[in-house]
Amino acid sequence: MLCISKGDIREKGGKMSKLAIKGGNKIVNIKPPHYRWPVITQATEESVLSQLKKSISIYNRSGIIEELEEKFKKYYNRKYALLTNSGTTALYSMYIAAGLKEGNEVICPTYTFFATVTPLFFTGAIPILVDCDESGNINPNKIEEKITEKTKAIVVTHMWGIPCEMEEIEKIAREYNLLLFEDASHAHGAKYKDRKVGTFGDVSVFSLQAQKLIPAGEGGVLLTNNEEIYYRALLLGHYNKRCKQEIPSAYELYRYSTTGMGLKLRIHPLAAAIASKQFENLEKVLRGKRKNAKYILEKISEFTCLRPPQFKDYMEPSWYAFVFHYLSEKLYNIPIDKFYEALKAEGCEELDRPNSTCPVNYHPLFQNPGELFTQYKGKIKYKRGDFPTAEKFHETSLKLPVWHEDSDKEIIDLYLRALEKVTQNYKELI
Ligand SMILES: Cc1ncc(COP(=O)(O)O)c(C=O)c1O
């Protein structure tokens, strides 16, 4: 096991210091939080205050709504961008607008935040879960075996900001004439072979929730080049003025414009004002994250009991988070819980074990959705154990934020030193 720096974790006389969990001094002695996101800049404050004075409800595509949608259209080179009040409702809009219904099947990742898949339950379509590969993303080699004559679409999530194998997945979607959807909620600005993720799918969706790379507080956006899908998404949640403004009167569904489908999924203008300003920092934040991620990656790779995030050299992750793995078999079978608790005791407040983001077959909703969605009674029976790779990925995961400033190096080094201390002093955990 390689060391990072012996000096700081030895007490006078060269003896290894005791682990903090056993009463020793902790390594990270800086007051939390050790990571702040979103960064509410003065420009963001001014943007919100200015919007507050202009309007706090916008009925059509104008003002801050138009401004932010135009930013997304330009950045992603898409014909249409539609803001919504969350990533979840953007996903819901995508599925409804694509016309999914009972009798359809949709290929979905098992390992994702559940909201990638749960809106499907409102359509009647069946989510067909597919295991991940060692990157945590849907395994392209396992997709074809799940395709039937009922399959209508494939949805992928670029987990933790690491792009999926889009070339292979796109090829399968084309060959079987399936719609391709991307949940890029973790992956604003991530690239696959120099192409931004979110530009491969017939529709792509981004969450703009506070932790995301373009934070609105709460919000989402749907991107597409497909006119019909865009109009239907408008009708779902943006009734009256916006539908009348944008849907041509000759379009057959125009007559529904006043009511749409009856829902209201608009983003709040103050949230749009936050995201619009934050968008301007995206490339800078990505550069900073990539630099720090490279450093963390190199250091983590030196530990035999840790496995760094897996991705190909033609991928540029967004580094929404740094998810790596603890391999207990390489550290005398010390369970991950103990390893994690020891690191927390060393002061690694920002270290996390993902919880609600887990293989979706862990959730009761995927084991027995019929109690909440009656049309699914008896139709879906996923259970723990169904997806070994995703389950192992999850059970061994540890998550760090990816700091984006050069000045964050100090805290990063302390976290790395805490990892080193715990791995070196493993005997105290046996
Ligand atoms: C991958 C993924 N998809 C969808 C969502 C849902 O987004 P929102 O929280 O904006 O509804 C999230 C939220 O964390 C997510 O991580």
Side-chain angles (χ1 to χ4, degrees), residues 333-363:
N333 291 320
I334 293 165
I336 189 167
D337 305 32
K338 270 196 182 173
F339 187 73
Y340 173 71
E341 287 312 322
L343 286 162
K344 293 298 260 191
E346 295 299 335
C348 299
E349 299 274 345
E350 303 294 343
L351 185 76
D352 189 20
R353 292 189 67 194
N355 184 16
S356 58
T357 300
C358 64
V360 295
N361 54 308
Y362 280 18
H363 299 294

Side-chain angles (χ1 to χ4, degrees), residues 86-88 91 112-113 115-116 157 183 185-186 207-209 212 219:
S86 71
T88 307
L91 286 153
T112 185
F113 182 67
T116 309
T157 307
D183 181 348
S185 294
H186 295 176
S207 165
L208 307 177
Q209 181 271 339
K212 305 304 187 305

Side-chain angles (χ1 to χ4, degrees), residues 225-281:
N225 282 340
N226 184 312
E227 183 184 83
E228 162 109 15
I229 288 179
Y230 180 63
Y231 292 158
R232 284 183 178 269
L234 279 175
L235 286 164
L236 176 71
H238 307 261
Y239 55 72
N240 204 12
K241 291 199 169 147
R242 185 157 180 180
C243 284
K244 287 176 182 158
Q245 176 189 11
E246 292 199 73
I247 301 175
S249 52
Y251 183 68
E252 56 165 340
L253 299 178
Y254 177 82
R255 65 183 200 271
Y256 293 105
S257 288
T258 304
T259 57
M261 291 172 74
L263 294 183
K264 182 155 86 169
L265 304 178
R266 296 200 295 246
I267 192 170
H268 195 292
L270 296 183
I274 296 171
S276 190
K277 263 300 148 217
Q278 295 279 325
F279 206 151
E280 293 169 12
N281 300 330

Side-chain angles (χ1 to χ4, degrees), residues 87-247:
T88 307
T89 54
L91 286 153
Y92 176 59
S93 306
M94 172 173 84
Y95 294 136
I96 295 287
L100 293 174
K101 55 181 191 296
E102 198 173 345
N104 297 162
E105 291 178 354
V106 178
I107 305 280
C108 302
T110 297
Y111 183 64
T112 185
F113 182 67
F114 56 80
T116 309
V117 189
T118 47
L120 273 178
F121 287 124
F122 295 86
T123 69
I126 303 286
I128 303 295
L129 302 179
V130 172
D131 209 344
C132 65
D133 59 23
E134 80 284 359
S135 72
N137 286 330
I138 192 166
N139 187 336
N141 300 324
K142 295 201 166 169
I143 293 178
E144 273 185 277
E145 65 200 54
K146 298 286 180 83
I147 294 175
T148 70
E149 70 282 359
K150 294 181 182 169
T151 311
K152 286 282 176 284
I154 302 173
V155 58
V156 302
T157 307
H158 308 286
M159 282 306 287
W160 307 116
I162 291 179
C164 295
E165 276 296 353
M166 291 316 293
E167 228 166 57
E168 290 174 49
I169 294 166
E170 209 179 23
K171 194 162 153 258
I172 298 169
R174 266 206 220 108
E175 192 177 327
Y176 290 88
N177 197 20
L178 305 175
L179 287 164
L180 179 57
F181 300 140
E182 290 178 84
D183 181 348
S185 294
H186 295 176
H188 311 67
K191 286 186 190 160
Y192 176 90
K193 297 193 176 174
D194 277 336
R195 186 168 153 197
K196 284 183 191 129
V197 308
T199 63
F200 290 86
D202 295 282
V203 189
S204 59
V205 157
F206 297 75
S207 165
L208 307 177
Q209 181 271 339
Q211 290 311 306
K212 305 304 187 305
L213 279 141
I214 302 176
E218 298 292 352
V221 66
L222 174 157
L223 305 180
T224 186
N225 282 340
N226 184 312
E227 183 184 83
E228 162 109 15
I229 288 179
Y230 180 63
Y231 292 158
R232 284 183 178 269
L234 279 175
L235 286 164
L236 176 71
H238 307 261
Y239 55 72
N240 204 12
K241 291 199 169 147
R242 185 157 180 180
C243 284
K244 287 176 182 158
Q245 176 189 11
E246 292 199 73
I247 301 175

